[in-house]
Amino acid sequence: WIIWINLQHWSQIIGLKRAAAKHLIERYFCQLTEGCGNGACTNEFCASCLGFQPLDHNTAAIRALELYKMNAKLCGRHSAAFPDNSSAKETHPTLLEVHYLTEEKVYEILSICEGKKDYSPLIRVIGRIFSSADGLVQSFRKDKEQHPNTKEQHKTHQAKDEDKDEDDKERTTAMEQESEASASMEGATGSTENRLGPVEVSVDIEAVRRVYDRLLSNEKMESAFLNALVYLTPNVELDLTYLDVYDTNPDYLNIFIIVMENSSLHSPEYLEMAMPLFCKCMSKLPLPALAKLTRLWSQYSVEHIRRMMETFQQLITYTVISNEYDSDSLVNDDECVVAAAKCLKLVFYANVLGGDLDTGHNEEEEPASESSELTLQELLGEERSSKKGPRVDPLEKELGVRTLDCRRPLIPFEEFVNEPLNDVLEMDKDFTFFKVDSESKFSFQSCPFILNACTKSLGLYYDNRISMYSERRITALYSLVQGQQLNPYLRLKVRRDHIIDDALVRLEMIAMENPADLRKQLFVEFEGEQGVDEGGVSKEFFQLVLEEMFNPDIGMFTYDESTKLFWYNPSSLENEAQFTLIGIVLGLAIYNNCILDVHFPMVVYRKLMGKKGTYLDLTDSHPVLYQSLRELLDYEGDVEEDMMITFQISQTDLFGDPITYDLKENGDKIPVNADNRKEFVSLYGDYILNKSVERQFKAFRRGFQMVTNESPLKCLFRPEEVELLICGSRNLDFQALEETTEYDGGYSKDCRIIKDFWETVHSFGEEDKRLFLQFTTGTDRAPVGGLGKLKMIIAKNGPDTDRLPTSHTCFNALLLPEYDSKEKLKERLLKAITYAKGFGML
């Protein structure tokens, strides 16, 4: 009882202090803007003082807070500057009774002000209500009966709002309905409102928008809203930090709904004074409140979602470019940027929910292979991160939707990337926070939508390297404990003429005995060659394996001449181990930071990330078939009579013989008509992309996951980014490569030979440019981020000679003799890049 009484007393003191502080700040503000009315005033903090420089309302609001903190002098009240309550009551007898606002009440006061050409009464009412959490919560309610005019009715209204049991019951029912709606979403596209159901809130959003549109055209009104938000946010932050205000009153969310409808939030004044703390307040909302706000915003128009996105983006950009960050002062420690990123996450998921969703059609996850090394790690007090399961964003889990579920968002995902933030982010530190210290430190990898593919690939690189060092350390411990031979690397010794057989046997043995060895650093050796693998030999190994596997004569994949893409051959006679090897190779390429020349349709990467293919994915994998199915869906005539097709389809096998497949039982007896054509199209797409190649793809994915299962790949990258990670960029900007190239051995960018070299390279056609990249770097693709990220080195390799240029593909280094003419340079270089194959020791 004593503790309870002390708590009650503490709460009362906090309330009194807050009210007193607010009152003092208001007096300072009034003193700075209107003065005390005494012409002989000597208070330097008063507008009536001789020589006082007038302040605008924004500056005055900040100054008032400073004066309050320093307990500055306050002038005595003067009737002209500080009208008391009685004079206000005589002028506007109803204004003091306004404890909340409705659209009608705002227009009523506005009409009075317009008649007298004095807007100060409305400004004061706006300032008082919009700076009060209680006032905003009660304002702009949908039900007009909840806005009585008398004090007695107002008390009744407050009593109803304070009925906690009723509010909790309504909130629980609404959340259950939202969860049921989310769980029942199908793969077909449709409106967000139909999928989720309307999110019920008590505030009349359309009325709020009309009021803002009417009032924000007045500059003085805009200042009133700004100043009110500055006063409001400290109190809201206290409420959310120390009191469970949303649990006791879900309508507390109205504050954030109303404030976010202000179309001026992106202005510099708001970004500097009000938005940082407001974002901090919003980020402190409990998870159910954040989810409800996200669902509500997902039902907004694209224009409204875009405006909110741009507001938070501008706040991040404004803060980043206004500060300097380094390894000691990280952007991760900037509360404003962190809070804005968390708020932007709500808009991002609203954008996902409002787009075309497909929450079904998920691939079945296979259990991860357990390594025998887990026992030793557990003995050492270490656990693999995979045992804790993949990282899932709490908001994503609460909403029941993933980024992968969205086929087409309302706003392109690329617009959520903030480049200034990417430029200042210390990815090594951010990665540490993401993997080790996520509870106490914020990592921007928890908001991967804000990072570009280049930044995320750097985080993945750190993760892969740490995994390699960890496997190396565990291997060393094993050799000590069990006396095994030390083998800290994944070594592959292969013959060029039997590369598939050698690689398949070795990798299959490793996968069966200990899959964890696949996460060791790769070293490849070609039998009979002297090349030492520092990256370049591995690149050629990957290229040769893929050339062999994707050879049409092998029959593992089919090639479409029109799309230039490969697809699994459903009639392939190769065993599953061959497809598993391809998956391992793709995983190893990501793990060892190599780029591959792979040509898969996007549906392959969606399936690797966990989504089954649907008929919509046929657009790039089987465009002719997709067009036919599209025409079937759009056909306006008699489908059954004119098309004469059934639920039985026909294909040709590897030898050209026809084979049939029933999409439904007794499909040959079920005609396709206008009523069941959607089902036919859906089953057809499912067969082509999933069922017909199930054996091949499962083996392929199994190999891929052997390497990437413990990687943050799925939680950081979208399917199109995974393709970029594996295949690199097809856009070759040699101008960017020239700007970032470094020189060694006596060369510089001003040397004649270097100028001749770049003129020659720029004159090459597309094919020769790709051959040059293949010769110098081991791949003909640009890395993630473009050729500007390549860091090529051109080193002097002696005076003029007939020798050809050589390269160290491991280090992206070109060894170039100082040829005496441009013509000889071009002839020698073309011969080198055209006939280059194999490795040797120089």
Side-chain angles (χ1 to χ4, degrees):
W1 282 105
I2 294 174
I3 295 174
W4 181 82
I5 292 172
N6 286 336
L7 287 174
Q8 289 290 99
H9 179 64
W10 177 81
S11 299
Q12 291 173 0
I13 292 174
I14 291 293
L16 290 172
K17 287 185 176 180
R18 182 188 297 172
K22 179 182 175 183
H23 178 67
L24 283 173
I25 293 171
E26 288 175 348
R27 288 191 61 189
Y28 280 121
F29 178 79
C30 199
Q31 179 175 287
L32 289 168
T33 54
E34 301 178 18
C36 65
N38 181 5
C41 181
T42 58
N43 185 356
E44 61 176 319
F45 304 122
C46 179
S48 298
C49 179
L50 187 64
F52 181 85
Q53 295 295 325
L55 303 175
D56 59 50
H57 284 73
N58 299 336
T59 308
I62 297 175
R63 189 61 175 150
L65 289 172
E66 294 173 351
L67 295 180
Y68 167 74
K69 292 178 181 178
M70 59 189 290
N71 196 22
K73 178 182 177 182
L74 268 172
C75 297
R77 289 181 178 269
H78 188 277
S79 59
F82 297 92
D84 60 19
N85 290 347
S86 61
S87 62
K89 194 170 183 178
E90 290 173 5
T91 307
H92 302 289
T94 61
L95 295 187
L96 292 178
E97 299 177 7
V98 177
H99 301 287
Y100 51 86
L101 289 173
T102 65
E103 185 178 14
E104 293 77 13
K105 179 61 68 178
V106 171
Y107 294 157
E108 178 186 341
I109 301 173
L110 180 61
S111 177
I112 296 173
C113 294
E114 289 175 341
K116 297 189 176 182
K117 296 184 178 180
D118 177 15
Y119 292 93
S120 58
L122 179 57
I123 291 174
R124 286 176 180 159
V125 170
I126 292 293
R128 179 155 50 84
I129 301 301
F130 275 75
S131 63
S132 166
D134 295 334
L136 270 186
V137 168
Q138 303 298 334
S139 295
F140 303 107
R141 294 295 186 99
K142 289 179 180 178
D143 189 354
K144 292 183 179 180
E145 292 181 1
Q146 292 182 350
H147 297 284
N149 292 324
T150 64
K151 291 182 179 179
E152 291 78 9
Q153 288 175 317
H154 176 59
K155 290 178 181 179
T156 304
H157 171 66
Q158 285 182 320
K160 288 181 179 179
D161 278 343
E162 290 170 0
D163 189 348
K164 177 183 175 182
D165 293 337
E166 188 66 26
D167 277 348
D168 286 347
K169 182 179 179 181
E170 291 176 1
R171 173 169 170 262
T172 302
T173 304
M175 293 299 288
E176 287 176 353
Q177 291 173 349
E178 291 167 10
S179 299
E180 290 173 3
S182 297
S184 65
M185 285 189 293
E186 296 294 334
T189 60
S191 69
T192 307
E193 185 167 323
N194 290 336
R195 290 195 304 270
L196 293 175
V199 179
E200 294 297 331
V201 291
S202 59
V203 63
D204 188 341
I205 297 173
E206 291 301 324
V208 174
R209 290 174 180 171
R210 289 192 294 268
V211 168
Y212 273 126
D213 290 341
R214 184 82 177 271
L215 298 184
L216 286 177
S217 58
N218 187 314
E219 184 178 347
K220 293 183 178 179
M221 293 295 177
E222 188 171 352
S223 298
F225 283 118
L226 172 61
N227 294 331
L229 186 57
V230 171
Y231 292 135
L232 171 70
T233 46
N235 295 335
V236 172
E237 185 186 11
L238 286 172
D239 288 344
L240 291 171
T241 303
Y242 300 108
L243 305 173
D244 297 328
V245 286
Y246 180 77
D247 292 334
T248 56
N249 182 14
D251 286 336
Y252 200 84
L253 198 63
N254 291 2
I255 296 172
F256 299 91
I257 297 172
I258 293 172
V259 170
M260 285 305 300
E261 290 302 324
N262 186 336
S263 59
S264 297
L265 293 179
H266 64 279
S267 65
E269 294 82 9
Y270 278 94
L271 295 181
E272 182 178 357
M273 296 173 55
M275 287 304 293
L277 191 52
F278 178 75
C279 288
K280 189 177 178 182
C281 293
M282 187 184 295
S283 66
K284 289 180 178 290
L285 282 167
L287 186 59
L290 295 174
K292 185 172 184 178
L293 198 57
T294 303
R295 291 190 181 100
L296 174 67
W297 287 349
S298 71
Q299 298 172 0
Y300 284 11
S301 67
V302 177
E303 291 74 20
H304 281 90
I305 295 178
R306 185 182 296 278
R307 178 178 58 77
M308 291 189 291
M309 177 203 72
E310 290 175 348
T311 297
F312 295 127
Q313 285 280 40
Q314 288 177 17
L315 178 58
I316 294 172
T317 302
Y318 175 81
T319 308
V320 166
I321 64 178
S322 301
N323 295 281
E324 294 184 0
Y325 303 100
D326 52 36
S327 56
D328 296 322
S329 177
L330 299 173
V331 69
N332 304 69
D333 297 325
D334 192 315
E335 291 185 348
C336 176
V337 176
V338 169
K342 291 179 179 179
C343 294
L344 186 61
K345 181 189 286 190
L346 307 187
V347 184
F348 175 80
Y349 279 108
N351 181 54
V352 168
L353 285 173
D356 293 338
L357 280 182
D358 176 10
T359 55
H361 304 105
N362 297 315
E363 292 279 3
E364 294 181 3
E365 292 290 337
E366 295 184 9
S369 301
E370 288 291 335
S371 168
S372 60
E373 292 181 1
L374 286 173
T375 305
L376 180 59
Q377 285 186 308
E378 289 170 353
L379 288 173
L380 294 171
E382 301 177 358
E383 289 190 12
R384 290 186 182 274
S385 58
S386 60
K387 296 196 72 177
K388 302 175 184 177
R391 184 186 295 266
V392 179
D393 187 273
L395 181 60
E396 187 177 276
K397 184 177 181 181
E398 182 78 11
L399 293 170
V401 68
R402 300 172 298 169
T403 304
L404 184 63
D405 296 330
C406 186
R407 287 190 166 272
R408 187 177 60 194
L410 295 175
I411 301 171
F413 289 132
E414 292 75 15
E415 295 191 30
F416 283 86
V417 175
N418 190 287
E419 293 296 346
L421 173 63
N422 282 264
D423 292 340
V424 301
L425 186 62
E426 299 278 348
M427 202 58 193
D428 54 342
K429 303 288 180 61
D430 190 88
F431 172 78
T432 304
F433 301 153
F434 181 67
K435 294 289 287 187
V436 180
D437 203 13
S438 59
E439 297 296 327
S440 59
K441 286 284 190 177
F442 178 80
S443 167
F444 286 97
Q445 290 183 75
S446 64
C447 298
F449 56 85
I450 206 171
L451 305 177
N452 57 38
C454 186
T455 303
K456 287 188 282 190
S457 67
L458 187 58
L460 187 65
Y461 171 80
Y462 287 132
D463 184 80
N464 294 341
R465 289 298 164 185
I466 289 174
S467 295
M468 290 177 185
Y469 298 149
S470 175
E471 294 298 338
R472 194 180 304 171
R473 183 168 60 92
I474 294 298
T475 302
L477 289 172
Y478 253 97
S479 66
L480 292 174
V481 174
Q482 298 185 354
Q484 295 180 353
Q485 182 179 358
L486 183 63
N487 187 19
Y489 302 104
L490 173 60
R491 295 187 180 275
L492 295 179
K493 187 173 183 178
V494 295
R495 297 166 293 174
R496 281 187 182 271
D497 296 337
H498 301 82
I499 191 168
I500 295 298
D501 294 336
D502 292 350
L504 181 61
V505 170
R506 177 69 177 134
L507 291 174
E508 193 172 17
M509 288 179 58
I510 293 172
M512 291 175 59
E513 295 176 0
N514 195 359
D517 282 354
L518 295 172
R519 291 185 285 273
K520 294 177 180 178
Q521 187 172 353
L522 177 65
F523 278 95
V524 177
E525 179 185 349
F526 286 105
E527 192 172 286
E529 298 182 20
Q530 297 176 313
V532 177
D533 190 4
E534 292 291 341
V537 182
S538 296
K539 292 178 185 178
E540 180 155 358
F541 164 76
F542 287 133
Q543 194 64 37
L544 292 175
V545 168
L546 292 176
E547 285 179 5
E548 187 77 18
M549 288 292 202
F550 284 94
N551 188 335
D553 296 336
I554 299 291
M556 293 179 64
F557 296 91
T558 59
Y559 183 69
D560 190 323
E561 288 289 348
S562 63
T563 62
K564 309 295 183 185
L565 298 174
F566 287 93
W567 183 249
Y568 304 93
N569 187 347
S571 305
S572 173
L573 300 179
E574 299 294 332
N575 58 36
E576 293 183 10
Q578 303 275 47
F579 290 97
T580 301
L581 174 61
I582 295 262
I584 291 175
V585 167
L586 257 67
L588 287 175
I590 291 178
Y591 199 65
N592 290 273
N593 204 31
C594 290
I595 296 173
L596 303 181
D597 185 19
V598 179
H599 303 272
F600 278 134
M602 185 56 63
V603 63
V604 171
Y605 301 102
R606 284 180 57 82
K607 286 168 71 67
L608 279 176
M609 300 293 277
K611 298 297 291 187
K612 287 185 177 181
T614 70
Y615 104 93
L616 294 174
D617 293 305
L618 294 170
T619 50
D620 61 341
S621 64
H622 301 76
V624 176
L625 175 60
Y626 173 79
Q627 187 60 35
S628 300
L629 295 176
R630 186 72 259 173
E631 290 173 359
L632 172 63
L633 291 175
D634 296 338
Y635 189 68
E636 297 180 356
D638 190 326
V639 175
E640 185 173 350
E641 290 294 329
D642 298 344
M643 299 290 188
M644 298 183 65
I645 53 179
T646 66
F647 274 76
Q648 184 180 79
I649 60 175
S650 176
Q651 286 184 307
T652 56
D653 63 11
L654 190 62
F655 304 102
D657 298 326
I659 54 174
T660 59
Y661 177 80
D662 287 347
L663 297 177
K664 296 177 69 173
E665 188 175 355
N666 299 320
D668 59 327
K669 300 176 182 178
I670 306 175
V672 176
N673 53 43
D675 295 329
N676 62 17
R677 59 183 170 181
K678 288 185 178 179
E679 181 186 12
F680 172 80
V681 168
S682 177
L683 291 174
Y684 203 146
D686 181 51
Y687 172 75
I688 294 295
L689 298 177
N690 303 311
K691 292 183 178 178
S692 67
V693 295
E694 183 175 11
R695 176 181 67 87
Q696 295 88 335
F697 178 76
K698 277 191 173 181
F700 172 77
R701 186 182 62 178
R702 188 184 310 118
F704 184 77
Q705 290 182 341
M706 283 180 184
V707 186
T708 63
N709 191 54
E710 295 185 16
S711 165
L713 187 73
K714 281 189 177 182
C715 65
L716 291 181
F717 293 87
R718 303 191 306 274
E720 56 270 24
E721 292 175 324
V722 174
E723 181 191 31
L724 185 64
L725 204 62
I726 294 175
C727 305
S729 173
R730 298 178 184 178
N731 180 29
L732 301 182
D733 184 359
F734 273 78
Q735 193 63 45
L737 178 62
E738 180 181 355
E739 292 173 359
T740 57
T741 295
E742 298 176 358
Y743 304 95
D744 195 12
Y747 281 159
S748 70
K749 65 178 181 178
D750 298 320
C751 291
R752 176 197 58 81
I753 182 70
I754 296 300
K755 291 180 179 179
D756 289 345
F757 169 81
W758 284 115
E759 288 177 6
T760 300
V761 170
H762 289 312
S763 69
F764 283 171
E766 188 71 17
E767 184 60 28
D768 285 339
K769 285 182 178 179
R770 292 193 180 279
L771 286 174
F772 171 75
L773 276 182
Q774 180 74 46
F775 173 75
T776 311
T777 69
T779 176
D780 65 352
R781 299 291 187 93
V784 178
L787 287 180
K789 302 292 183 180
L790 198 56
K791 303 299 182 187
M792 189 175 75
I793 299 172
I794 299 178
K796 187 175 181 178
N797 192 23
D800 180 43
T801 179
D802 288 335
R803 293 180 61 190
L804 297 174
T806 53
S807 66
H808 293 304
T809 54
C810 309
F811 308 106
N812 301 328
L814 176 67
L815 305 182
L816 184 68
E818 192 172 8
Y819 299 114
D820 59 4
S821 69
K822 183 177 178 181
E823 291 73 20
K824 187 175 183 180
L825 166 66
K826 183 174 183 178
E827 185 268 331
R828 298 279 85 187
L829 184 59
L830 279 173
K831 182 171 286 189
I833 66 177
T834 304
Y835 299 103
K837 191 172 184 180
F839 291 88
M841 297 293 288
L842 296 178

